[in-house]
Amino acid sequence: MSTTSGRGLPPYARVFVDIRARIDSGELRPGDRVPSTREITREWGVAMATATKALTALRREGLVEAVRGVGTVVRGGPDPEPMSPSAPASVPEPVPDPESESESDPESARRESERRRERRSQTEPALTREVIVRAAISVADAEGIEGLSMRRVSTELRVSTMALYRHVASKGALMTAMIDRVYIDAALPEPPPADWREALELALVGEWRIYRQHPWAMRLTMMAGAVVSPGLMMNAEWMLKVITGQGRSADEAQDVLAFVSAYTSGMALQATRVALEDHEFGMDADQWWRSRAPEFLRHAAEGRFPLMFSVSGPPDVDAIFEVGLKHLLDGLTPLIEGTGSGPGIRPGIR
């Protein structure tokens, strides 16, 4: 599996050290493709964000480079494209040669303008809206939504920032497209399961997986979120259709949807700290708790929190989510099926 033990190192650093050792030993030679993020998650047993962070660290050290259509390769091999390994994909403007043509010569300026247009036509067809959106998702997965910017995405793709604006109008439009993509990739089946409970559980578990894989998405998809995208609206429409299929009005269904969405996003907040710690410090949940051991032991010795320090370990948020979801749907059954005798959310729902 790995070439070094990496004991004591955070997960992303272990991956970084192992791949660097393969490069140093010659096992991976210039131009060879290094493991992809998915291959890293399987081989090292780490999260996708951790794998992305390791590859980002390798790129920043100048050991590897991303090549469109190929993947991440060891630097120093033959150029897959007509550019130097360190040059951006949008070729820099050439410096006029004073011995061959004058900058003030109109004919020279015309020829130079034509060459620039030709270079753009040769380098930019590979840059598409879809390529930009998926690169932005990778950046946000590895560095959080705070690390996302048009400049950061352009660096990832090795193009000029202005090249992005030919495909995406703004950062806000990019975030909308990112949410759209992750929800379209996780699109719910049509038609929904006939059993409303099975259908809602399917939708909420799917949303939970989106939040776990893309923690940044939670901040953009909550009820007062920053974006509204077709993919996100399709997801809500699907759940509303399930609830109204039980005889509830669209308003009543929206209220139920607010209940269940608040549960999913609230539980995701519990898991987000683990994701943020993994991003910021390269720690998983167990490592985070161990790193705080001296502080916890000091508080335990004070004897003021006997119940807190009697628990066996950190909570398993994934297991808790599943158990809590079942209880939530149990409690909502009378509301959705209209069999309860208590007051509803809005007049008319019993």
Side-chain angles (χ1 to χ4, degrees):
M1 176 179 149
S2 58
T3 56
T4 62
S5 64
R7 290 180 180 176
L9 293 175
Y12 90 92
R14 291 201 303 270
V15 178
F16 172 89
V17 169
D18 286 348
I19 294 179
R20 183 176 64 184
R22 295 181 186 183
I23 295 172
D24 292 342
S25 69
E27 179 183 346
L28 289 173
R29 299 180 179 181
D32 285 351
R33 182 176 169 276
V34 302
S36 67
T37 52
R38 293 192 181 279
E39 290 167 342
I40 289 173
T41 60
R42 289 195 297 267
E43 184 174 349
W44 278 268
V46 297
M48 186 71 73
T50 301
T52 304
K53 185 177 180 181
L55 290 178
T56 299
L58 288 164
R59 283 197 295 272
R60 286 175 177 167
E61 289 294 316
L63 297 171
V64 302
E65 61 179 332
V67 177
R68 289 195 300 275
V70 177
T72 302
V73 302
V74 180
R75 292 192 66 174
D79 274 345
E81 298 178 5
M83 65 176 78
S84 66
S86 59
S90 54
V91 180
E93 305 297 348
V95 177
D97 183 353
E99 295 181 2
S100 61
E101 56 188 39
S102 170
E103 291 184 71
S104 60
D105 181 358
E107 180 60 22
S108 297
R110 184 188 64 79
R111 290 198 301 269
E112 181 58 35
S113 178
E114 290 177 353
R115 283 196 293 268
R116 290 176 184 174
R117 283 198 298 270
E118 183 179 355
R119 278 193 296 273
R120 281 199 297 269
S121 67
Q122 291 174 346
T123 59
E124 290 183 8
L127 185 65
T128 65
R129 181 182 177 87
E130 181 69 11
V131 167
I132 294 169
V133 170
R134 291 199 180 275
I137 290 172
S138 295
V139 169
D141 285 348
E143 303 174 22
I145 202 69
E146 298 83 358
L148 179 71
S149 68
M150 299 295 274
R151 181 182 295 275
R152 177 66 185 86
V153 176
S154 69
T155 300
E156 188 76 7
L157 292 171
R158 300 171 64 216
V159 300
S160 69
T161 304
M162 287 306 300
L164 302 186
Y165 287 104
R166 298 189 184 100
H167 304 273
V168 182
S170 64
K171 180 181 175 181
L174 178 58
M175 291 193 297
T176 298
M178 290 163 63
I179 288 295
D180 212 37
R181 172 46 53 199
V182 297
Y183 270 86
I184 289 173
D185 285 348
L188 295 165
E190 290 290 354
D195 180 77
W196 71 264
R197 185 180 178 120
E198 179 186 349
L200 284 188
E201 187 169 351
L202 178 67
L204 295 172
V205 168
E207 191 169 61
W208 172 254
R209 287 172 180 163
I210 288 174
Y211 291 155
R212 295 293 273 150
Q213 186 176 0
H214 310 289
W216 52 269
M218 180 185 59
R219 293 175 53 181
L220 305 181
T221 57
M222 297 170 69
M223 297 299 278
V227 303
V228 176
S229 77
L232 183 59
M233 294 176 71
M234 283 171 54
N235 182 273
E237 181 75 12
W238 193 94
M239 287 191 278
L240 291 172
K241 182 166 59 175
V242 167
I243 300 169
T244 56
Q246 297 300 306
R248 305 278 67 84
S249 70
D251 284 343
E252 293 165 348
Q254 178 66 27
D255 291 340
V256 173
L257 185 56
F259 267 133
V260 295
S261 294
Y263 172 73
T264 307
S265 58
M267 283 300 299
L269 280 171
Q270 298 295 318
T272 296
R273 181 173 67 172
V274 174
L276 289 175
E277 293 290 353
D278 182 76
H279 158 57
E280 293 173 358
F281 306 113
M283 297 181 182
D284 58 24
D286 289 339
Q287 289 172 322
W288 185 89
W289 280 78
R290 285 199 299 271
S291 73
R292 301 300 195 275
E295 183 179 353
F296 288 144
L297 289 173
R298 186 178 72 251
H299 287 302
E302 295 172 355
R304 292 190 297 155
F305 314 106
L307 293 178
M308 287 189 63
F309 288 100
S310 67
V311 300
S312 59
D316 183 339
V317 290
D318 290 293
I320 292 172
F321 173 80
E322 293 183 8
V323 172
L325 178 58
K326 294 183 185 302
H327 285 291
L328 175 64
L329 295 178
D330 284 343
L332 288 175
T333 296
L335 201 60
I336 294 176
E337 295 183 354
T339 58
S341 59
I345 309 172
R346 299 191 188 194
I349 186 170
R350 302 294 294 176

